[in-house]
Amino acid sequence: MVNISKVQQAAVLLFARQGFAATGIRELGGAAGINSATIYHYAGSKEELLVQVMRSCLDEMITSGAAAMRISAEPTIQLAALVSSHVGFTATNPLTARVAEYEMRALSPDNRTAMQKLRDDYESLFAQVVERGIRVGDFSTDDATMARLALMEMGTGVAHWYRPDGRLTLIEVQHNFVAMACKILSANQTMLDGIDYIRPPVVVASEPTGTSVTISG
């Protein structure tokens, strides 16, 4: 039985493989196992389907990131929790995360504005942690904006190369990225000793399962 999740998974797989612009409605229908006309039962247009995928992805990133920050009031622990959440999400949902990251350019102005607002809301979580850590003297950096961008970009890049059967487990990858984040911000990593700051990442409904794909862009 076809449902919206299967349609979204087919869309994510095709958008990740060949890009939004190069993917046709008929191709989407074939990948989802339905005729192209039925696609419009699940989304008013191909762009609306992309918006659905992006919105659910960004909403979950915001929810997971905010939950990670609530585990402590200490900036270093918040940093560790937020970075590990970001890495965990992108590693677990690589195709959806990449589509949400790179296909913003395909949206119409109104949809782009709405999705950019969600992305800004997510980025603001990192900005809050970095700025507060600097303010209370727990972090040190020459440029807070550059540090924030570096933290986010290196975490997003995990979608390119992480494999569940690879050399490192996801938890090991998360710990390594937290250690790098602490070095970028000159944070005292010993504050994390004995702290359980990693939470299991959520797999979003749009993420294809059991699929290997060469991603465009």
Side-chain angles (χ1 to χ4, degrees):
M1 180 179 178
V2 177
N3 56 34
I4 185 60
S5 295
K6 185 172 181 181
V7 174
Q8 289 180 351
Q9 288 170 15
V12 165
L13 184 60
L14 290 171
F15 295 163
R17 177 184 290 151
Q18 61 200 36
F20 174 83
T23 301
I25 286 291
R26 283 190 179 180
E27 197 173 9
L28 275 171
I34 57 179
N35 64 58
S36 56
T38 308
I39 291 287
Y40 297 106
H41 172 72
Y42 297 98
S45 65
K46 187 177 70 166
E47 182 176 341
E48 179 56 34
L49 188 55
L50 176 60
V51 169
Q52 289 176 4
V53 168
M54 286 185 168
R55 188 182 301 280
S56 63
C57 175
L58 291 165
D59 280 345
E60 180 53 45
M61 293 178 79
I62 292 167
T63 298
S64 297
M69 289 177 62
R70 287 195 295 270
I71 73 169
S72 174
E74 294 292 338
T76 301
I77 298 174
Q78 288 183 329
L79 174 71
L82 188 56
V83 168
S84 63
S85 174
H86 185 57
V87 170
F89 182 88
T90 54
T92 305
N93 303 279
L95 301 187
T96 299
R98 287 294 306 278
V99 168
E101 176 75 12
Y102 287 102
E103 293 299 344
M104 188 79 74
R105 60 198 172 191
L107 298 175
S108 61
D110 285 349
N111 282 329
R112 189 181 307 123
T113 297
M115 294 304 101
Q116 187 61 55
K117 171 63 167 58
L118 290 177
R119 182 182 287 179
D120 290 346
D121 288 346
Y122 181 61
E123 291 185 3
S124 73
L125 299 177
F126 284 82
Q128 290 169 36
V129 171
V130 171
E131 290 167 6
R132 182 166 173 270
I134 292 171
R135 188 169 63 250
V136 301
D138 288 356
F139 302 159
S140 176
T141 178
D142 292 334
D143 192 312
T145 299
M146 289 295 293
R148 170 179 59 80
L149 291 173
L151 294 175
M152 296 193 68
E153 286 296 324
M154 72 180 189
T156 300
V158 171
H160 287 280
W161 54 263
Y162 174 75
R163 296 293 180 271
D165 59 351
R167 181 173 62 88
L168 298 175
T169 67
L170 178 54
I171 289 179
E172 288 173 325
V173 171
Q174 289 168 296
H175 279 300
N176 276 317
F177 272 74
V178 167
M180 288 187 284
C182 287
K183 289 178 181 178
I184 288 172
L185 290 167
S186 300
N188 181 5
Q189 198 174 345
T190 62
M191 289 190 64
L192 303 177
D193 292 347
I195 304 296
D196 180 17
Y197 55 81
I198 294 179
R199 298 292 182 267
V202 171
V203 180
V204 293
S206 60
E207 183 64 23
T209 57
T211 303
S212 178
V213 61
T214 299
I215 303 172
S216 65

